Amino acid sequence: MPALVLLGAQWGDEGKGKATDLLGGSVDYVVRYQGGNNAGHTVVVGDQKYALHLLPSGILSPGCTPVIGNGVVVDPSVLLSELSGLNERGVDTSKLLISGNAHIITPYNVTVDKVTERFLGKRKIGTTGRGIGPTYADKINRVGIRVQDLYDESILTQKVEAALDVKNQILTKLYNRRAIAVDQVVEELLVYADKLAPYVADTVLVLNQALENDKVVLFEGGQGTLLDIDHGTYPFVTSSNPTAGGACTGAGVGPTKISRVIGILKAYTTRVGAGPFPTELFDEDGEALRRIGGEKGVTTGRDRRCGWFDAVIARYATRVNGLTDFFLTKLDVLTGWEQIPVCVAYEIDGKRVEELPYSQTDFHHAKPVYEMLPGWSEDISKAKSFSDLPKNAQDYAKALEEMSGAPISAIGVGPGRNETIEINSFI
C-alpha cells in the first residue's frame, strides 16, 4: 500500500517540514492528521523560507494535494491568513482540502486556554495559548464545533450555546472574566463559512479512494512522539496523538493501508515548553546548539531547550510507532565539537535503566548516562552521499542508528531542500 506516516521521534521540532517537503514531489497527497496551529514547520526552498503552522508542508509541492484531516483542530483566521500569505508569494493553494469533521478553534477556546494557563502559575503546562487543548476537550465532551457546522446556523447556535453554558460560569465565577455572548461568537464564525467552502470535503472518502487507485499518500504528524497525549511525557504533552496510530484515526484510514512509518530524529535533542528533559544543557554547549541550530520555535518564537542526543527516547519512539526508517536531521550543527556525548541510558536511584521509565516520577529523576563519540571539524553541508561525510560523522550516524533500532534512510546536512543525503528511498 502506498501510504507513509512521517512523524517526530523526539519532542517535536525535529525538521518534519524539510522531510515532508523532500518527499512532496513524489507523493500525491500530504495529510495533517492531528494538532493545530501549535505546530510549526520551516521549509527552505532555494533562497525562500516558509514558516507553516497549520497547513501541510506538501502545499509547497505543485503536484501534491494538501489535506487537513478530521483529527486536526482548525483556527479559521489563522488558516485563511496562512493561505493569503502563501498566495501573495505565488504559491498555489487551490488544491487544499479540509475535512468537514475537523473541529474549529473558537474565540472562547483561546480565552479559556490563556486564562487557565495563567491561573496555573508554577504548575503551568507551557501551552502555546492558541486554544488547542480546550478545543480537544470540547471534542471529547461532545460540545465541539466542527467545520461542517458553519453551514447550518441553527446547529451552530445550539452548539455554541451548549459550550458557553458551562464556560461562562467558569469565566465569570472562577476567573473573574466577562461572559462571552453566544450571538457574537456565532456571527464571527459564520463569516468564515463562504471563505472556507471551496476547500471543505469528505477527506476520508477522498483519501481511501486515492489509496485504492494506487496514489501515494503521506501522513504528516505535528509535534513529536514524546508530546503524545497517551505516550508522551504526560502532563507536559499536547492534546492529540502525533504517534503513528493517530494517522489512522485522524485521517480515517485503516492501519493495514500504511506501508512505512518514518521517524524524524534531530542529531541532538530539543524541546519547547515545560517538562522533564534528561539531556538538557545549561552551559556553553547548550547555547552553541541553540545558536548554530537556530533553535527558536517556528510558531511560538520561544527559545528551544537544547541537549545531547537521547538514544533512550529514540528506542521508545521506534517501539510505539513501529518505525521502519529514520530521517536524521541537522547533523551539520554538530560540526566543530571534538567529542560528542550521546545518552545511551539513564541512572535512576543508582540503577542503570536502558528503556524509558513508565513512571513519571522516575523520568523526572532520570540522569543521563553518556557515551562519548569522536566529533569532526569538516564542513559537511555540501555532502551528496554518505561516503562524502567525514569518517567520524559516518560513525556518529551509524552509532545512532544502532542505538535507535531502525535504519537511517536520509540525513539532513543543511536547511536547504537540496542539502539532504538520501541513503534509501522512502518510496
Side-chain angles (χ1 to χ4, degrees):
M1 294 287 182
L4 306 89
V5 179
L6 188 146
L7 51 85
Q10 294 158 314
W11 275 285
D13 305 310
E14 301 94 346
K16 294 181 292 295
K18 176 183 174 67
T20 309
D21 181 64
L22 177 71
L23 294 166
S26 306
V27 303
D28 300 296
Y29 294 81
V30 174
V31 188
R32 271 288 303 276
Y33 59 84
Q34 50 73 225
N37 57 302
N38 57 341
H41 298 319
T42 299
V43 180
V44 179
V45 182
D47 59 353
Q48 296 290 310
K49 180 184 286 188
Y50 298 89
L52 304 175
H53 305 281
L54 184 57
L55 291 169
S57 302
I59 200 157
L60 299 174
S61 300
C64 182
T65 299
V67 179
I68 293 177
N70 56 273
V72 178
V73 290
V74 178
D75 185 322
S77 64
V78 172
L79 175 60
L80 292 169
S81 175
E82 200 165 333
L83 287 170
S84 176
L86 290 177
N87 289 334
E88 289 174 3
R89 297 177 68 177
V91 177
D92 180 14
T93 62
S94 62
K95 297 178 75 173
L96 174 69
L97 299 178
I98 305 169
S99 170
N101 288 339
H103 280 247
I104 285 180
I105 300 172
T106 66
Y108 52 79
N109 292 137
V110 177
T111 300
V112 169
D113 197 1
K114 289 179 178 177
V115 297
T116 303
E117 186 78 348
R118 196 175 303 129
F119 186 78
L120 287 172
K122 291 189 298 182
R123 295 177 290 111
K124 65 182 181 180
I125 303 300
T127 76
T128 58
R130 287 165 166 78
I132 310 296
T135 305
Y136 277 113
D138 280 359
K139 177 179 180 177
I140 298 304
N141 287 327
R142 289 160 290 188
V143 292
I145 309 298
R146 298 193 292 179
V147 169
Q148 60 174 281
D149 297 332
L150 299 179
Y151 304 98
D152 189 321
E153 186 173 348
S154 176
I155 287 178
L156 178 62
T157 303
Q158 291 175 43
K159 289 192 171 186
V160 172
E161 285 176 345
L164 286 178
D165 273 347
V166 175
K167 286 182 175 58
N168 275 335
Q169 295 291 323
I170 295 172
L171 288 171
T172 57
K173 295 180 180 178
L174 180 59
Y175 297 123
N176 197 29
R177 296 290 293 251
R178 186 179 303 168
I180 298 172
V182 172
D183 292 347
Q184 179 183 338
V185 173
V186 171
E187 183 179 344
E188 184 172 337
L189 292 177
L190 287 175
V191 168
Y192 300 120
D194 288 342
K195 296 176 182 178
L196 294 178
Y199 307 109
V200 180
D202 181 352
T203 58
V204 172
L205 178 62
V206 169
L207 292 173
N208 279 281
Q209 287 180 336
L211 290 169
E212 289 166 8
N213 291 317
D214 293 326
K215 301 295 184 182
V216 180
V217 180
L218 178 64
F219 300 94
E220 171 189 73
Q223 293 89 31
T225 296
L226 274 294
L227 291 178
D228 187 279
I229 186 70
D230 287 294
H231 304 292
T233 48
Y234 190 90
F236 303 99
V237 292
T238 193
S239 303
S240 57
N241 294 108
T243 45
C248 298
T249 54
V253 298
T256 55
K257 295 185 177 180
I258 294 171
S259 55
R260 213 154 178 180
V261 184
I262 305 161
I264 313 303
L265 269 181
K266 196 176 284 187
Y268 47 101
T269 312
T270 63
R271 77 171 296 176
V272 171
F277 183 1
T279 68
E280 183 173 11
L281 297 169
F282 301 95
D283 57 10
E284 293 179 357
D285 284 332
E287 183 54 42
L289 288 174
R290 186 177 297 110
R291 184 186 71 255
I292 299 168
E295 297 298 350
K296 191 177 286 289
V298 177
T299 294
T300 63
R302 294 181 287 185
D303 284 342
R304 294 179 185 136
R305 301 157 64 191
C306 297
W308 299 120
F309 184 85
D310 189 331
V312 180
I313 66 172
R315 284 194 292 274
Y316 177 75
T318 301
R319 182 175 301 113
V320 299
N321 292 297
L323 295 179
T324 59
D325 304 81
F326 277 118
F327 187 135
L328 185 67
T329 62
K330 290 197 167 184
L331 185 63
D332 54 300
V333 173
L334 295 179
T335 300
W337 270 271
E338 288 187 18
Q339 288 191 310
I340 305 171
V342 172
C343 174
V344 296
Y346 300 144
E347 181 186 308
I348 303 173
D349 295 332
K351 296 180 181 179
R352 182 185 173 104
V353 176
E354 298 194 354
E355 300 297 343
L356 194 77
Y358 78 90
S359 163
Q360 177 183 341
T361 300
D362 285 348
F363 194 55
H364 271 278
H365 294 132
K367 297 178 181 178
V369 176
Y370 287 116
E371 181 178 308
M372 305 302 292
L373 299 179
W376 61 92
S377 57
E378 300 92 331
D379 177 13
I380 66 171
S381 63
K382 302 295 188 292
K384 299 300 180 187
S385 66
F386 190 73
S387 61
D388 290 340
L389 295 173
K391 182 179 184 304
N392 286 352
Q394 293 183 32
D395 291 344
Y396 183 82
K398 289 176 182 176
L400 267 52
E401 180 178 73
E402 184 175 346
M403 294 174 189
S404 302
I408 292 174
S409 293
I411 299 174
V413 293
R417 176 181 266 183
N418 298 320
E419 293 175 313
T420 301
I421 296 170
E422 191 169 351
I423 301 170
N424 298 306
S425 175
F426 289 120
I427 299 175

